[in-house]
Amino acid sequence: MQIEKGNYTDASYQALQDVIAETEETLSNVWPSQNIEVSSGFPPVPVLSLKQFTDEENAAMAAKLIEAINALEEKGDKSSLDALIAEAETKEETAYTPNSWNAFQEKLTTAKEVQNNQDAGVTQVTAAVNELTDAMEGLTARANLSSLNQLLDEVGELQESAYTEESWRALQMAITDAKEAAADPNVSQNTIDTLRTALEN
């Protein structure tokens, strides 16, 4: 009961108070029955029978209190989270693929909720930092399509009659794959580079 709220989260501190109240109530119930017994002598007198808690019962109550004390959680230091959110907000959507950007935005929104939560504990703040860090590292830059598009323009001017049937068919397949990739906003630069090499060969 001497533990003060201090910098503990509301939830963990309230949980301790609930256990304290429950224990106090249990200890105050010293009358095992509402029926008052009387002695068999003369004159009969009331027999005050108080409940005696066993060692096991006392140990169980003590263990429950210790568990609640150990579960007390301090509020999290948000300095790292604040700095990370500030860095995240400098990112530009147009620089990244939609899929990676959407995943990043989801974690950024969660991190801001934790940032605005005055009662966020150490565990919650740490999780928000880790998840936002992973999302930032997972941002995938949009592929540079300029060289691929230029190459597509060049091969588009080639004449079928100048090439063997087999090589022309391979070229058309490479052109189709390249155009499909170029139309995909989530395509990686590595894929674009591979397709450009296929066209060049």
Side-chain angles (χ1 to χ4, degrees):
M1 292 180 65
Q2 295 177 5
I3 296 176
E4 297 180 356
K5 187 175 188 308
N7 197 38
Y8 297 118
T9 63
D10 291 343
S12 65
Y13 185 75
Q14 185 57 50
L16 173 60
Q17 301 312 302
D18 292 343
V19 174
I20 291 174
E22 178 185 337
T23 305
E24 287 181 324
E25 182 180 359
T26 300
L27 292 174
S28 67
N29 292 331
V30 295
W31 305 107
S33 173
Q34 293 182 349
N35 299 319
I36 298 178
E37 298 180 4
V38 295
S39 66
S40 58
F42 185 84
V45 296
V47 177
L48 301 180
S49 177
L50 299 180
K51 174 176 175 57
Q52 299 296 318
F53 292 98
T54 66
D55 291 342
E56 290 77 11
E57 289 173 325
N58 283 323
M61 287 186 284
K64 198 166 185 179
L65 283 166
I66 292 172
E67 182 180 0
I69 293 172
N70 291 336
L72 284 170
E73 183 178 18
E74 292 187 355
K75 293 180 181 179
D77 179 358
K78 297 178 182 176
S79 55
S80 295
L81 181 62
D82 293 341
L84 190 62
I85 289 175
E87 179 185 353
E89 289 182 327
T90 65
K91 304 295 183 183
E92 297 289 342
E93 180 177 0
T94 55
Y96 303 100
T97 60
N99 286 349
S100 65
W101 181 259
N102 291 338
F104 164 70
Q105 282 297 304
E106 181 180 342
K107 297 304 180 183
L108 179 56
T109 298
T110 299
K112 287 182 177 180
E113 290 173 354
V114 174
Q115 183 185 45
N116 294 327
N117 181 3
Q118 300 303 314
D119 195 48
V122 173
T123 301
Q124 193 175 6
V125 172
T126 300
V129 169
N130 292 338
E131 291 178 5
L132 181 55
T133 298
D134 290 343
M136 286 178 63
E137 293 176 349
L139 281 171
T140 303
R142 285 182 182 264
N144 186 342
L145 304 177
S146 58
S147 59
L148 178 63
N149 288 331
Q150 181 180 353
L151 189 55
L152 283 171
D153 290 339
E154 293 174 3
V155 298
E157 297 177 358
L158 298 177
Q159 298 298 318
E160 181 178 359
S161 58
Y163 300 93
T164 64
E165 180 179 345
E166 182 179 354
S167 64
W168 183 259
R169 185 166 55 249
L171 174 62
Q172 297 310 303
M173 291 178 60
I175 290 174
T176 299
D177 291 342
K179 287 182 177 180
E180 289 179 353
D184 181 4
N186 291 298
V187 67
S188 68
Q189 186 64 51
N190 183 60
T191 298
I192 292 300
D193 292 341
T194 300
L195 291 170
R196 188 179 66 246
T197 300
L199 283 173
E200 291 173 340
N201 296 333

